[in-house]
Amino acid sequence: MLRFPGQGHRRPDDVVIGSLDLSARVDEALAVQAVAFGLDPDEIAVRRQIVLRHMTGPGARALGATVRGRLVGFVYGMPNDRAHWWSTVVEPYLHREGNEGWLDDSFVITELHVHPDHQNRGIGRRLITTITDSAEQPRSILSAIDIDSPARGLYRSLGYEDLARRVLFPSAPKPYAVMGAPLPLRRR
């Protein structure tokens, strides 16, 4: 059972969702991402610099899921900026589908990962809905590996729809899908 602050007495194994100083806990977050997403040490080193740079951007924020103070999941995002690398890569794919307007006035979910030992407990759902609930933008966008997966199933259940598929990122071995949803996200 998930318990959140202000919802009764917590037990030692309860998951707590709250604000995360991602810059201070970047190595702990990337350890979760490495296990959840299968990253090697070189990829972690590159992503570390990206995360630290992202967290200095306007409107960037992060949430963490902890058990006994140990990070078991995290999400971070920011208002989208067409000048960001991600937007420049996905824009031609969105344009081709007539969806490039989604790059404007959107909150982008940059990363969302839950340690495999804690997946399928609603943690990812709680992280993404909580971070988007406070977004000032009317919609959210993200990218996910373009396969049927639990992550894509979660996003669809929240109202995300495919805006572009078979999106190729430099050095990524698999194609991605760009997905978008109006905010607030759909609840079950």
Side-chain angles (χ1 to χ4, degrees):
M1 174 179 214
L2 295 179
R3 292 187 187 262
F4 303 99
Q7 295 182 341
H9 300 299
R10 287 194 314 211
R11 295 185 306 237
D13 60 346
D14 286 343
V15 175
V16 177
I17 304 290
S19 183
L20 174 66
D21 181 349
L22 187 53
S23 296
R25 295 182 77 175
V26 65
D27 294 321
E28 194 177 354
L30 289 174
V32 170
Q33 185 176 1
V35 174
F37 207 61
L39 301 179
D40 66 37
D42 291 337
E43 291 170 311
I44 293 168
V46 169
R47 287 179 188 252
R48 185 178 199 282
Q49 297 309 313
I50 293 168
V51 169
L52 293 173
R53 184 178 70 244
H54 281 164
M55 293 314 296
T56 65
R61 59 188 187 281
L63 296 175
T66 59
V67 174
R68 294 182 296 277
R70 186 173 64 89
L71 194 67
V72 299
F74 74 100
V75 63
Y76 84 92
M78 64 197 81
N80 194 53
D81 182 337
R82 281 184 177 253
H84 288 162
W85 175 84
W86 182 84
S87 290
T88 64
V89 173
V90 303
E91 190 277 333
Y93 295 93
L94 291 171
H95 178 78
R96 183 181 66 218
E97 300 297 327
N99 289 322
E100 69 186 274
W102 276 84
L103 292 173
D104 300 316
D105 210 16
S106 291
F107 186 82
V108 63
I109 300 299
T110 309
E111 300 289 348
L112 170 62
H113 300 284
V114 176
H115 192 284
D117 291 346
H118 296 274
Q119 290 177 359
N120 301 312
R121 297 181 188 177
I123 297 170
R125 175 178 299 277
R126 182 66 180 201
L127 285 167
I128 195 171
T129 57
T130 303
I131 200 166
T132 57
D133 280 350
S134 62
E136 295 177 10
Q137 297 72 23
R139 55 191 172 193
S140 174
I141 55 176
L142 56 79
S143 55
I145 295 175
D146 194 4
I147 59 171
D148 283 328
S149 66
R152 296 252 293 150
L154 168 64
Y155 302 144
R156 285 187 188 106
S157 76
L158 294 166
Y160 285 90
E161 295 181 1
D162 291 341
L163 302 174
R165 302 213 35 211
R166 315 273 324 141
V167 175
L168 300 174
F169 287 100
S171 77
K174 298 175 183 175
Y176 279 71
V178 176
M179 303 177 78
L183 295 178
L185 295 176
R186 189 178 341 157
R187 300 308 199 256
R188 288 185 196 235

